[in-house]
Amino acid sequence: MTTRLSDYDYDLPRELIAQRPPARRGDSRMMVLHRAAQTIEHRHFSELKAFLQPGDLLVLNDTQVIPARRLSDDGVIEFLFLERLGPRRWKCLVTPGRKMRVGATAMIGGAALCVEKITPEGERIVVLDEDVDLYSGGSMPLPPYIRRESDTEDATRYQTVFAHAPGALAAPTAGLHFTLALLSEVPHTFVTLHVGTGTFLPVRSENLAEHRMHAERFSISASVAARINGATRIIAVGTTVVRVLESARRERGELIAQESSTDIFIYPPYQFRAIEVLLTNFHLPRSTLLMLVSAFAGREFMLRAYQEAIRKRYRFYSYGDCMLIL
């Protein structure tokens, strides 16, 4: 049984980590994995429709990334504002943490900020001397493996074209490939899961059974539940959709409308019950997302596919190419 962290490692040349999106949305390459035959095809995302069947339904995550990253007015401290707790109170992450102990202050957007508390997870609870919308002057919180400052291009490209519900701190990246034109040509519906910073947290335990996932909020409307229940085959666009559908409550075997949260951790030998096909990007070594796709496609097949992707010079991670697992 593959329940050790070290079983999900691979070496990736740094130059294959995409630092920018492709010139045009939808121009990505698409590796196609056929689970039954254990074969691999090299295609392009624009060919996605060729793999669809009558009765298929694509399920996408319509969360919207909020511009949660701000610098202090002197540019010394970086803040990632996670949640507004009240008119003048916020929960945030700070870098460097040593400069923002309890009682430390900074100026941001012309307002004075003071650290009131540090949580066991290292988050800061801060209080401002005036009510300021800190998202209004913020920028996109790009993942740490994108080694540059976010800019105006990221404001649109690190956001899906169908983003609707503000609340995410990271993009549901499998959805970044879609254009409105392609979306109009395929049967689809939306759930919402607000991606948190926990998606980038490393697994620290060699024994996967000891790892605890972060919780993320999600919602499924009644009309969406009905469409999913009526579909012949569910194609999950991204691991966030997988986590929603695999953890959502059902009554008499049918998905029901709900607002809830999930901390589901999917790794082999998990048995999937809600999805048949997965469209996803390439994921970090030793990450919970690599474990999730390994549970879906098989660890050995998945790691072989990753080695093939490296050999073929696919682009990895958020702004990179994608994989369709059938």
Side-chain angles (χ1 to χ4, degrees):
M1 189 168 300
T2 53
T3 58
R4 298 179 305 173
L5 177 60
S6 53
D7 289 332
Y8 298 90
D9 207 357
Y10 68 93
D11 293 321
L12 180 70
R14 179 176 287 189
E15 67 269 17
L16 296 185
I17 301 175
Q19 298 297 303
R20 291 279 180 186
R24 295 185 306 174
R25 198 185 290 266
D27 275 358
S28 298
R29 298 163 72 191
M30 183 173 72
M31 175 180 278
V32 181
L33 271 59
H34 298 271
R35 289 182 291 165
Q38 297 279 288
T39 57
I40 297 171
E41 285 186 76
H42 301 287
R43 307 289 283 266
H44 288 86
F45 178 73
S46 58
E47 301 174 271
L48 175 65
K49 289 190 297 179
F51 296 93
L52 302 185
Q53 302 173 2
D56 282 354
L57 180 68
L58 277 73
V59 183
L60 306 101
N61 182 4
D62 67 358
T63 188
Q64 182 177 333
V65 183
I66 49 179
R69 180 180 175 273
R70 289 285 300 260
L71 293 177
S72 58
D73 291 350
D74 60 6
V76 172
I77 309 295
E78 178 181 309
F79 294 87
L80 184 64
F81 288 97
L82 307 177
E83 184 181 355
R84 185 176 181 138
L85 303 176
R88 296 185 297 112
R89 296 179 77 243
W90 292 73
K91 180 191 291 185
C92 62
L93 295 174
V94 300
T95 304
R98 66 181 184 278
K99 290 184 176 291
M100 296 302 290
R101 306 294 187 188
V102 173
T105 61
M107 296 296 294
I108 188 162
L113 172 153
C114 179
V115 179
E116 176 185 86
K117 177 183 176 182
I118 301 177
T119 72
E121 293 76 26
E123 301 158 337
R124 268 59 172 177
I125 308 300
V126 300
V127 179
L128 286 83
D129 66 351
E130 58 182 286
D131 188 8
V132 178
D133 181 1
L134 295 173
Y135 294 144
S136 65
S139 60
M140 283 297 185
L142 294 180
Y145 46 75
I146 295 182
R147 299 177 181 275
R148 60 176 177 80
E149 297 294 315
S150 61
D151 55 26
T152 54
E153 180 184 39
D154 299 306
T156 55
R157 296 300 300 275
Y158 194 63
Q159 195 84 271
T160 64
V161 296
F162 47 82
H164 172 72
L169 295 167
T173 54
L176 295 178
H177 304 283
F178 284 83
T179 63
L180 289 175
L182 177 60
L183 205 59
S184 70
E185 297 172 353
V186 297
H188 66 275
T189 194
F190 301 104
V191 297
T192 304
L193 180 140
H194 294 310
V195 192
T197 55
T199 192
F200 301 118
L201 292 178
V203 179
R204 301 191 185 280
S205 172
E206 174 67 10
N207 180 0
L208 300 186
E210 297 175 0
H211 180 67
R212 294 294 175 265
M213 289 288 287
H214 55 288
E216 293 171 319
R217 293 175 292 118
F218 73 85
S219 61
I220 304 170
S221 71
S223 60
V224 167
R227 288 204 66 190
I228 290 173
N229 290 329
T232 302
R233 191 173 68 156
I234 297 299
I235 300 171
V237 177
T239 56
T240 61
V241 171
V242 175
R243 298 186 73 226
V244 169
L245 297 184
E246 291 294 324
S247 58
R249 288 183 296 113
R250 284 168 167 75
E251 292 181 358
R252 294 181 295 277
E254 290 205 332
L255 187 69
I256 58 172
Q258 59 198 274
E259 291 190 10
S260 187
S261 66
T262 178
D263 61 358
I264 190 172
F265 179 23
I266 296 175
Y267 61 94
Y270 181 88
Q271 296 297 309
F272 289 81
R273 61 185 182 133
I275 71 164
E276 286 79 34
V277 178
L278 173 59
L279 178 75
T280 185
N281 281 21
F282 293 89
H283 303 295
L284 278 72
R286 303 166 73 92
S287 66
T288 60
L289 302 183
L290 180 58
M291 295 163 198
L292 184 154
V293 296
S294 295
F296 191 66
R299 184 185 70 93
E300 292 183 1
F301 185 34
M302 182 57 61
L303 292 178
R304 175 161 66 88
Y306 269 53
Q307 291 306 315
E308 176 75 357
I310 291 169
R311 190 175 70 83
K312 293 284 192 178
R313 310 294 289 178
Y314 276 71
R315 302 169 76 243
F316 277 64
Y317 306 160
S318 294
Y319 276 149
D321 296 314
C322 61
M323 173 183 285
L324 181 66
I325 309 175
L326 299 167

